[in-house]
Amino acid sequence: MSRTKTAFLFDLDGTLIDSVYQHVLAWKTSLDAEGIDIPVWSIHRKIGMSGGLFTNILLRETGLDATPERLDRLRKNHAAAYKELSGSVRPLPGARELLDYLTEQGNPWGIATSGRMETAGHNLAALGVDPAKVPVVTRDQVKYAKPDPDLFLTAAERLGVDIRDSLVLGDSIWDMIAAKRARGLGVGLLSGGYGEEELSKAGAFRVYADPADLLLHIDEVAARA
Amino acid sequence: MSRTKTAFLFDLDGTLIDSVYQHVLAWKTSLDAEGIDIPVWSIHRKIGMSGGLFTNILLRETGLDATPERLDRLRKNHAAAYKELSGSVRPLPGARELLDYLTEQGNPWGIATSGRMETAGHNLAALGVDPAKVPVVTRDQVKYAKPDPDLFLTAAERLGVDIRDSLVLGDSIWDMIAAKRARGLGVGLLSGGYGEEELSKAGAFRVYADPADLLLHIDEVAARA
C-alpha cells in the first residue's frame, strides 16, 4: 500500500508562537478606547477567529453599530497595542524543532492564520519561516477567515495536498471548527490557554500541551518516513 | 428546621475583579527579567496559588535556585509590571450587585486572596469593599496560601461561620482544591479564563460564567431569605 505523507496545516498564534495573551490584552486596550467594556476572559475565548468577525460579534453583543470607521479604529488600535506588548513574544517550546522534523521527514507543511501579514510577519521571522519558501496563508488572502474553512483549504491547495490527508493544528476552538468544516483532522494544543475539553468538544481528535509535546508523540498522528 | 444562612467566601482576582490576564503578563515580564523562559499559558495555569509557591515551582521546573534574593526580585518585578498594566482592571460584571445582594439577604461573606494587601488594596477600592467592615484575608495574614486551605478557613473564622456551611467561590483550580481541603463547597467561575471541565475536575460542584451569571442562578446554591 502506498501512503501519502500526512500534511500539517498550522495555525500561528498560540500554536507555533506564544502570542495569545498579548493579543488578548491588546484587544482589551483597543475595545476600552472605544468605550466597549468586555471582560478579558471573554475576549480570550473569541481570539483566533477573524478579527472582523470577532469585532462584529462584540459590537453586536454590546448593541453598537459596526461602522467601517469603528471597525477600522478597533483594528488599528489593536495593532498598536499589540506592538507595545510584543517584546515578550517568542516561538513556543518545540515549534522550530517540529517544523524542522517535518521538513526532514518530507511531510508537507504550511501556515494558515486569521491574522494579517502586518502582524504575522514579525512572528514568522522569529520562527525562522520564510513566506517565500513556505506556504503562509493570511487573512489578507481569503474572503472568510476562521471559523470558516477557507484559510486551511487554501493552505492545502498551495501545498498541492488533499485536506482529507491533512492534520490541522491549532490552539483555539475556531481552528478545530474550521478543521471539521474543511474535512481536515483537528489536533489541539493547550498552548493558547484553552482547556483540553473545550478543544475536544470542538472536534480535536487529539490534544497535546504544545509543539514540543506533539513532536514527542508524533507517531500517534502521522506515519514515520 | 432552622437553617443557617449560607456563607460566601470569595477569591478576588478573576472571581470579583477582572485582573487575571494582567497578572499573567506581569509574571511573564518578571520571569523574563530573570531569564526564566516560561510559556504564558503555563503561567496562567499556575496563577491563583501562593506567589511564593508559584515561583518556587517555576524555579524548580527550570532548575534554578530559589534564593531569597531571586524570589524577592521576582515578586517586586511582578508588582511593578502589574501596576503598568492595571489601568484596564475593573470589577467583573455583576460583582458589586452580587455582594450587595448577599448583604441585603443577610448571607455572611468575605474575601480570601493569595495576593498581598499591597496589590489587593486597589482592587478592593474598585469593588467598593472596605476591609475595615468586611473580612478580607490576604497572603500577609496566613502561613500557607492556596492551594492550602488556610485562607478560606481564616475567612470563615473571621465571619464566625462553619466552613462546612460555606461556599468557596473561585476561578482557578487552586481555589477549588483549597475548598475541598477546607471542606467547603467549591463554586467555579469561568471569568479567570480556566475551562469549565478543569474547574469541575478540581472539585467545583457548579460552574458559572461570572458573578452576574451566579447571581442569576443563586437559588441553585443558596436558600433565599
Side-chain angles (χ1 to χ4, degrees):
Chain A
M1 182 180 107
S2 118
R3 285 275 293 277
T4 311
K5 289 265 186 190
T6 306
F8 284 65
L9 311 177
F10 289 98
D11 166 59
L12 186 57
D13 294 291
T15 300
L16 294 171
I17 292 282
D18 194 11
S19 54
V20 168
Y21 290 75
Q22 290 86 347
H23 274 298
V24 169
L25 280 190
W27 277 116
K28 174 70 180 166
T29 303
S30 169
L31 291 160
D32 273 358
E34 288 289 309
I36 305 168
D37 192 14
I38 311 264
V40 186
W41 74 282
S42 110
I43 298 174
H44 185 196
R45 259 46 192 184
K46 293 192 176 71
I47 279 278
M49 61 163 63
S50 139
L53 205 52
F54 165 78
T55 42
N56 266 327
I57 290 174
L58 291 182
L59 290 172
R60 198 192 308 141
E61 283 179 4
T62 48
L64 289 168
D65 283 338
T67 63
E69 296 72 30
R70 181 171 275 144
L71 290 174
D72 195 52
R73 277 199 307 272
L74 280 167
R75 195 179 58 75
K76 281 188 182 148
N77 286 336
H78 163 261
Y82 178 73
K83 211 174 164 190
E84 287 288 309
L85 293 170
S86 63
S88 56
V89 169
R90 273 183 285 281
L92 281 159
R96 191 57 255 173
E97 293 79 358
L98 175 61
L99 299 179
D100 287 343
Y101 173 88
L102 295 174
T103 303
E104 279 162 30
Q105 294 281 313
N107 291 83
W109 61 271
I111 293 174
T113 170
S114 281
R116 293 181 184 272
M117 193 49 96
E118 163 191 8
T119 40
H122 170 83
N123 287 337
L124 293 170
L127 258 184
V129 169
D130 179 356
K133 294 182 185 156
V134 172
V136 176
V137 190
T138 63
R139 178 73 190 90
D140 317 272
Q141 297 158 40
V142 295
K143 187 155 181 210
Y144 300 108
K146 304 167 195 172
D148 279 279
D150 308 38
L151 278 161
F152 292 119
L153 287 170
T154 306
E157 208 174 275
R158 294 265 180 88
L159 287 170
V161 299
D162 190 328
I163 189 104
R164 290 165 299 181
D165 299 323
S166 304
L167 298 177
V168 168
L169 304 103
D171 68 298
S172 88
I173 65 167
W174 316 114
D175 294 311
M176 297 303 106
I177 292 172
K180 279 266 175 190
R181 289 170 67 178
R183 305 298 188 272
L185 211 46
V187 174
L189 298 183
L190 299 177
S191 36
Y194 280 79
E196 183 168 350
E197 288 83 0
E198 289 175 273
L199 294 171
S200 299
K201 278 187 190 167
F205 94 109
R206 293 293 286 161
V207 178
Y208 300 98
D210 58 14
D213 187 37
L214 168 58
L215 181 53
L216 204 61
H217 298 94
I218 197 149
D219 303 312
E220 298 177 4
V221 295
R224 287 165 305 281
Chain B
M1 184 178 107
S2 118
R3 285 276 292 279
T4 311
K5 289 265 184 189
T6 305
F8 284 65
L9 310 177
F10 290 96
D11 167 57
L12 185 58
D13 293 292
T15 299
L16 295 171
I17 292 281
D18 193 12
S19 53
V20 168
Y21 289 75
Q22 290 88 345
H23 273 300
V24 168
L25 281 190
W27 277 117
K28 175 69 180 166
T29 303
S30 169
L31 291 160
D32 273 358
E34 288 290 308
I36 305 169
D37 192 12
I38 311 264
V40 186
W41 74 282
S42 111
I43 297 174
H44 186 196
R45 259 48 194 183
K46 292 191 176 71
I47 279 277
M49 59 164 63
S50 139
L53 204 52
F54 166 77
T55 43
N56 266 327
I57 290 174
L58 291 182
L59 291 172
R60 197 193 306 140
E61 283 179 3
T62 48
L64 289 167
D65 285 337
T67 63
E69 295 73 26
R70 180 170 276 144
L71 290 175
D72 195 51
R73 278 199 308 271
L74 281 167
R75 194 178 59 75
K76 280 188 181 147
N77 287 335
H78 162 262
Y82 178 72
K83 211 174 163 189
E84 286 289 308
L85 293 170
S86 63
S88 56
V89 169
R90 272 183 285 281
L92 281 159
R96 190 59 255 172
E97 293 79 359
L98 175 60
L99 299 180
D100 286 343
Y101 174 87
L102 295 175
T103 303
E104 280 161 31
Q105 293 282 312
N107 291 83
W109 61 271
I111 293 174
T113 171
S114 281
R116 294 183 184 271
M117 194 48 96
E118 164 192 7
T119 40
H122 170 82
N123 287 336
L124 293 171
L127 258 183
V129 169
D130 179 356
K133 291 181 187 156
V134 173
V136 177
V137 189
T138 63
R139 177 75 190 90
D140 317 271
Q141 297 159 40
V142 294
K143 188 156 179 207
Y144 300 106
K146 304 167 195 173
D148 279 277
D150 309 38
L151 279 161
F152 291 119
L153 286 170
T154 306
E157 207 175 277
R158 292 265 181 89
L159 287 170
V161 300
D162 190 328
I163 189 103
R164 290 167 297 183
D165 300 322
S166 303
L167 297 177
V168 168
L169 304 104
D171 68 298
S172 86
I173 65 167
W174 316 114
D175 294 311
M176 298 303 107
I177 292 172
K180 278 265 175 193
R181 290 169 67 179
R183 305 297 187 272
L185 211 48
V187 173
L189 298 183
L190 299 177
S191 37
Y194 279 79
E196 182 168 351
E197 289 81 2
E198 290 176 271
L199 294 172
S200 300
K201 278 187 190 166
F205 95 110
R206 291 295 286 162
V207 178
Y208 300 98
D210 57 15
D213 187 39
L214 168 59
L215 180 53
L216 204 61
H217 298 94
I218 198 151
D219 303 313
E220 298 178 4
V221 297
R224 285 166 304 281

